[in-house]
């Protein structure tokens, strides 16, 4: 009897500040700070068990994601009347970025978008939280301006371009409002220009903002409705301090034209 009982028992070592040994029944789960292990289990058996657990976890995660996708598609499926309205008005449905809670606010850059592109949100809360991914606060009467129509199930259909305009405009206003006199003094102490001073400098030289990978210069002009001041204000809002541009007069001589004065950057 004692031999049979002894064969079922195993001696395990419990680590810590001082190692101790304990006799337990083979197959018992021994809890640790990192989880548990099974008494008497070989290294190979342990690896096989964890691989099996990992496969099972992946299956469960895939099943959960599939269920979530179905729920999202179901909640964003439009009723026939709303779908027909979008079809008649030639609205193009575009997937919006996933609406999630973020610690650091995302940056919204000027983007190239068409006037008929729309986002479909499951409900008003998701619609509002979309703006809060980029902004600290938002007024509902402002974001309501971007609503194109509403579905019978509570979905919010909003104009993509107008949503982005609201975010960009609010971020610009918040940025310039945050520049205190103390910040201005520190910028001047470095011999730099404030964003507003940079705008004034660019305007005095009649400079234009260049295009980027996300939007061409022509599209940028259309984005700001050809209002150069607003375009320059947005461009300057991405930096708190700017370098001054110094120009010097240089004579360019051509026999057929004579001397012509040109402005070129002064390299020092």
């Amino acid at each position: 009897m004692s031999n049979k009982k002894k064969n079922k028992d195993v001696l395990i070592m419990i680590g810590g500040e001082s190692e101790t040994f304990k006799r337990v029944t083979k197959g018992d789960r021994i809890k640790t700070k990192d989880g548990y292990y099974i008494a008497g289990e070989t290294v190979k058996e342990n690896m096989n068990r964890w691989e099996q657990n990992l496969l099972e976890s992946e299956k469960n995660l895939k099943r959960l994601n599939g269920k979530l996708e179905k729920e999202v598609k179901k909640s964003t499926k439009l009723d026939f009347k709303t779908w027909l309205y979008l079809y008649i008005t030639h609205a193009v449905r575009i997937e919006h970025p996933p609406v999630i809670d973020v610690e650091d606010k995302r940056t919204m850059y000027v983007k190239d978008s068409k006037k008929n592109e729309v986002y479909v949100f499951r409900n008003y809360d998701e619609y509002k939280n979309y703006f809060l991914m980029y902004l600290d606060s938002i007024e509902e009467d402002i974001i309501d301006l971007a609503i194109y129509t509403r579905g019978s199930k509570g979905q919010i259909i909003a104009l993509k371009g107008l949503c982005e305009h609201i975010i960009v405009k609010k971020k610009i206003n918040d940025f310039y409002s945050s520049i205190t006199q103390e910040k201005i003094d520190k910028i001047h102490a470095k011999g730099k220009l404030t964003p507003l001073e940079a705008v004034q400098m660019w305007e005095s030289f009649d400079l234009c903002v260049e295009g980027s990978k996300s939007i061409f210069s022509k599209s940028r002009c259309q984005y700001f409705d050809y209002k150069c001041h607003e375009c320059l204000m947005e461009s300057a809002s991405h930096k708190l301090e700017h370098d001054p541009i110094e120009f010097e007069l240089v004579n360019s001589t051509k026999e057929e034209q004579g001397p012509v004065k040109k402005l070129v950057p002064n390299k020092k």
Side-chain angles (χ1 to χ4, degrees):
M1 290 293 291
S2 61
N3 288 336
K4 289 183 179 180
K5 185 177 180 181
K6 188 174 181 180
N7 291 336
K8 293 180 181 179
D9 292 346
V10 292
L11 191 66
I12 63 170
M13 182 179 70
I14 302 175
E17 294 182 359
S18 59
E19 296 177 348
T20 59
F21 294 88
K22 183 179 179 182
R23 188 170 291 279
V24 297
T25 302
K26 185 176 182 180
D28 283 354
R29 290 188 178 189
I30 310 302
K31 292 184 178 180
T32 67
K33 63 178 182 179
D34 300 321
Y36 73 90
Y37 68 92
I38 297 178
E41 187 178 49
T42 64
V43 174
K44 186 176 181 180
E45 289 172 340
N46 179 271
M47 290 179 64
N48 291 337
R49 178 167 61 84
W50 280 106
E51 286 178 0
Q52 190 63 34
N53 289 342
L54 182 61
L55 289 174
E56 193 65 28
S57 298
E58 289 177 350
K59 288 180 181 178
N60 292 334
L61 182 61
K62 189 175 181 180
R63 193 181 302 114
L64 182 63
N65 287 338
K67 185 178 179 181
L68 182 61
E69 286 178 5
K70 287 181 180 179
E71 290 178 354
V72 171
K73 287 182 179 179
K74 185 178 179 181
S75 61
T76 56
K77 187 176 181 180
L78 300 173
D79 59 276
F80 179 74
K81 184 178 179 181
T82 306
W83 175 87
L84 184 62
Y85 175 73
L86 297 183
Y87 177 78
I88 292 173
T89 57
H90 304 287
V92 178
R93 181 172 175 174
I94 303 295
E95 292 296 325
H96 60 74
V99 180
I100 56 175
D101 291 330
V102 292
E103 292 183 5
D104 298 325
K105 298 301 179 182
R106 295 177 176 177
T107 301
M108 173 67 76
Y109 292 99
V110 175
K111 299 178 181 178
D112 195 0
S113 60
K114 299 178 181 178
K115 293 182 179 180
N116 63 333
E117 292 177 340
V118 296
Y119 284 149
V120 177
F121 298 90
R122 288 178 291 177
N123 48 52
Y124 192 83
D125 285 339
E126 184 182 51
Y127 175 61
K128 184 177 180 179
N129 289 333
Y130 164 76
F131 288 91
L132 293 176
M133 290 196 301
Y134 301 92
L135 305 169
D136 292 324
S137 62
I138 193 69
E139 296 179 12
E140 292 186 4
D141 59 339
I142 298 297
I143 64 176
D144 287 353
L145 296 174
I147 296 178
Y148 187 61
T149 187
R150 298 172 186 255
S152 62
K153 300 177 183 178
Q155 301 102 329
I156 299 296
I157 298 90
L159 293 166
K160 173 181 178 290
L162 192 48
C163 288
E164 294 171 354
H165 270 76
I166 291 173
I167 292 171
V168 170
K169 185 69 174 179
K170 182 71 163 57
K171 289 183 80 70
I172 293 173
N173 291 339
D174 290 347
F175 172 78
Y176 284 100
S177 298
S178 67
I179 301 177
T180 62
Q181 186 60 48
E182 183 181 359
K183 291 181 179 179
I184 293 174
D185 293 340
K186 288 182 179 180
I187 293 170
H188 288 166
K190 297 178 183 178
K192 305 282 188 177
L193 300 178
T194 67
L196 187 57
E197 290 169 342
V199 171
Q200 293 170 348
M201 175 186 65
W202 296 338
E203 289 176 332
S204 68
F205 292 130
D206 198 22
L207 297 178
C208 181
V209 176
E210 293 184 2
S212 62
K213 292 181 180 179
S214 62
I215 186 169
F216 295 109
S217 297
K218 183 179 179 181
S219 299
R220 187 178 175 92
C221 292
Q222 294 172 349
Y223 184 95
F224 290 100
D225 195 23
Y226 297 91
K227 296 177 181 177
C228 296
H229 181 73
E230 291 186 10
C231 177
L232 294 173
M233 289 284 283
E234 189 278 332
S235 182
S237 69
H238 296 289
K239 290 171 60 178
L240 185 59
E241 55 186 46
H242 295 260
D243 293 320
I245 301 176
E246 296 181 1
F247 288 94
E248 63 180 358
L249 288 174
V250 177
N251 288 331
S252 175
T253 57
K254 289 186 179 180
E255 293 180 359
E256 61 275 17
Q257 288 183 330
V260 178
K261 293 182 178 180
K262 295 194 304 182
L263 285 173
V264 296
N266 183 16
K267 297 179 181 178
K268 291 186 177 180

